Amino acid sequence: MKSNSFNKNWPGLIQAYKEWLPVNENTPIITLQEGGTPLIPITSISHLIGKDVKVYAKYDGLNPTGSFKDRGMTMAISKAKENGCEAIICASTGNTSASAAAYAKRAKMRAFVLIPDGFVAHGKLAQALVYGAEVLAIKGNFDCALNIVQELANQYPITLVNSVNPFRLEGQKTAAFEIIESLGEAPDWLCIPMGNAGNISAYWMGFEEYFKAGKAKKRPKMIGFQASGSAPLVSNKIIKDPKTIATAIRIGNPVNREKALNVKEKSNGEFLDVTDKEIIDAYKLLGKEEGIFCEPASAASVAGLLKYKKKIPNKATIVCVLTGNGLKDPDCATKNNDAIFYSNLNPDIKTVINKLGF
Ligand code: AN7
């Protein structure tokens, strides 16, 4: 099925791609009609690179809870429901917890979420609270929270919905299907931010499956980007105290390390890093040049593309994955912009005219 905005009756990705997913007639489909997100040309970025390249943004921040996690969560929660599960748990830098809470509640389950206290963007925390999750903020980072929830899920009848849950990646692979359907072919490069490296692994699965089915003649080079202060896959180490403004990808010990390394090898890809400044520059550029507001972690894909543009072949088609919506992190937005903003003005026309410079 074609997954674009012309389809006003988009049913959600399980319905759209059920023959590609491990579901059957007994699977209750828990959906918020996720997926089917737009692939938007970002011409200002193409122009900055030159070389006749075409750059697109896969804007997955337009999913129902504002991030790509919904693609994985519709599958993980539907399968958990099928198996009679009554409670789910996850560790999260924010987006997983928001998505898990929304889908779990829709499925009438309890949702336990562990987050690093003080390091989750306010929009994401607000979502988990409103969706009715039971939120536990711990004095430790994401990696620490993940160890705890893995242990808990082993001991109690609670389903773990982090990306170690294989159904998550099954759902997330559909983004690759949509890209191939929109372009009529796989791109030459796929640029994507990496945290736990579940999403890059899922995209590769999707590209591989469509390639094997003859729906694409090539597979992209997979380029994964991490923030310099939080780049365990670039340095091939564990980072004990990851630091970055992009809190979504503030992860020092990615659980999908092996999978990701395999993707890099098979796709002849690369793992590269970008500084927080480069991330913020790309974040601002996307906002003011393209009208696309993504969260800082997502801007890492565009930041990386611009930073390493020398590596790009002429006439390449490139897709940058924008994993999350900018509204998730309003604090970052209000602190990092080049806007003209006058506050506390007298409410009279003269003051306004004066400020406008007429
Ligand atoms: C916007 O929510 O890990 O490499 O707990 O929120 O698949 O981990 C979020 C990750 C990229 C990295 N962009 O994806 C969580 C969490 C955004 C994200 C990533 C995340 P993976």
Side-chain angles (χ1 to χ4, degrees):
M1 184 185 290
K2 188 111 175 126
S3 63
N4 60 33
S5 52
F6 297 112
N7 187 343
K8 299 282 184 233
N9 299 311
W10 178 253
L13 63 86
I14 296 182
Q15 278 295 352
Y17 294 110
K18 56 178 179 289
E19 60 273 39
W20 300 86
L21 293 168
V23 291
N24 57 60
E25 59 281 10
N26 299 321
T27 313
I29 298 176
I30 311 297
T31 181
L32 287 160
Q33 295 172 20
E34 57 296 305
T37 57
L39 187 70
I40 307 172
I42 42 177
T43 44
S44 63
I45 308 296
S46 306
H47 288 149
L48 281 173
I49 292 165
K51 303 187 189 184
D52 229 354
V53 298
K54 285 203 184 73
V55 187
Y56 298 85
K58 180 62 173 167
Y59 194 12
D60 246 5
L62 292 183
N63 273 299
T65 79
S67 85
F68 73 96
K69 304 286 179 179
D70 296 342
R71 292 182 181 275
M73 221 48 84
T74 185
M75 274 300 299
I77 301 291
S78 296
K79 293 305 281 186
K81 191 73 181 168
E82 181 184 336
N83 295 325
C85 153
E86 291 174 2
I88 57 95
I89 195 164
C90 66
S92 181
T93 58
N95 280 326
T96 300
S97 61
S99 184
Y103 285 81
K105 288 292 142 175
R106 227 173 145 73
K108 310 282 176 270
M109 296 173 186
R110 287 177 78 179
F112 304 111
V113 308
L114 263 72
I115 56 171
D117 203 348
F119 290 92
V120 167
H122 280 139
K124 305 176 188 180
L125 181 57
Q127 289 179 289
L129 298 173
V130 168
Y131 295 140
E134 296 167 56
V135 180
L136 295 93
I138 62 158
K139 290 186 255 171
N141 60 27
F142 169 86
D143 305 288
C144 177
L146 186 63
N147 286 336
I148 297 171
V149 297
Q150 284 186 304
E151 191 67 38
L152 280 171
N154 282 336
Q155 288 181 26
Y156 297 91
I158 315 173
T159 302
L160 184 62
V161 295
N162 281 103
S163 58
V164 285
N165 180 322
F167 299 120
R168 279 276 312 275
L169 302 196
E170 289 287 339
Q172 286 170 217
K173 76 184 179 189
T174 59
F177 297 167
E178 292 174 15
I179 289 173
I180 290 173
E181 284 158 10
S182 299
L183 295 175
E185 180 52 279
D188 298 301
W189 276 31
L190 192 283
C191 297
I192 186 165
M194 294 188 298
N196 263 313
N199 211 24
I200 193 171
S201 309
Y203 265 87
W204 181 246
M205 255 167 74
F207 285 123
E208 281 267 67
E209 287 182 21
Y210 260 26
F211 174 75
K212 284 185 182 144
K215 287 179 171 269
K217 292 190 191 64
K218 60 186 177 190
R219 287 160 293 183
K221 198 177 178 60
M222 303 292 283
I223 318 281
F225 292 107
Q226 298 201 292
S228 303
S230 177
L233 291 165
V234 178
S235 62
N236 208 14
K237 286 192 200 123
I238 292 173
I239 310 292
K240 285 239 163 62
D241 186 18
K243 290 189 180 76
T244 170
I245 193 167
T247 52
I249 50 172
R250 185 173 164 272
I251 293 172
N253 187 16
V255 281
N256 297 299
R257 183 187 288 270
E258 291 310 314
K259 279 200 181 80
L261 289 172
N262 183 51
V263 170
K264 183 177 149 188
E265 191 195 312
K266 290 267 167 61
S267 75
N268 195 21
E270 291 196 55
F271 293 167
L272 301 163
D273 74 318
V274 282
T275 64
D276 279 7
K277 183 180 181 302
E278 288 158 349
I279 289 174
I280 292 300
D281 286 347
Y283 169 84
K284 294 200 284 193
L285 202 62
L286 283 165
K288 65 185 185 188
E289 301 291 333
E290 297 290 348
I292 296 178
F293 186 22
C294 66
E295 66 172 287
S298 308
S301 61
V302 172
L305 184 66
L306 291 172
K307 179 173 184 175
Y308 297 101
K309 64 181 178 190
K310 279 203 182 121
K311 294 174 182 273
I312 306 170
N314 289 339
K315 297 189 188 307
T317 298
I318 300 159
V319 173
C320 293
V321 183
L322 299 184
T323 45
N325 197 298
L327 293 169
K328 295 271 190 175
D329 195 346
D331 300 309
C332 177
T334 46
K335 280 187 205 129
N336 297 285
N337 63 75
D338 305 325
I340 297 164
F341 177 39
Y342 305 110
S343 61
N344 208 20
L345 298 182
N346 287 332
D348 61 69
I349 193 150
K350 262 201 174 143
T351 308
V352 175
I353 288 173
N354 188 282
K355 288 293 177 201
L356 294 179
F358 294 152

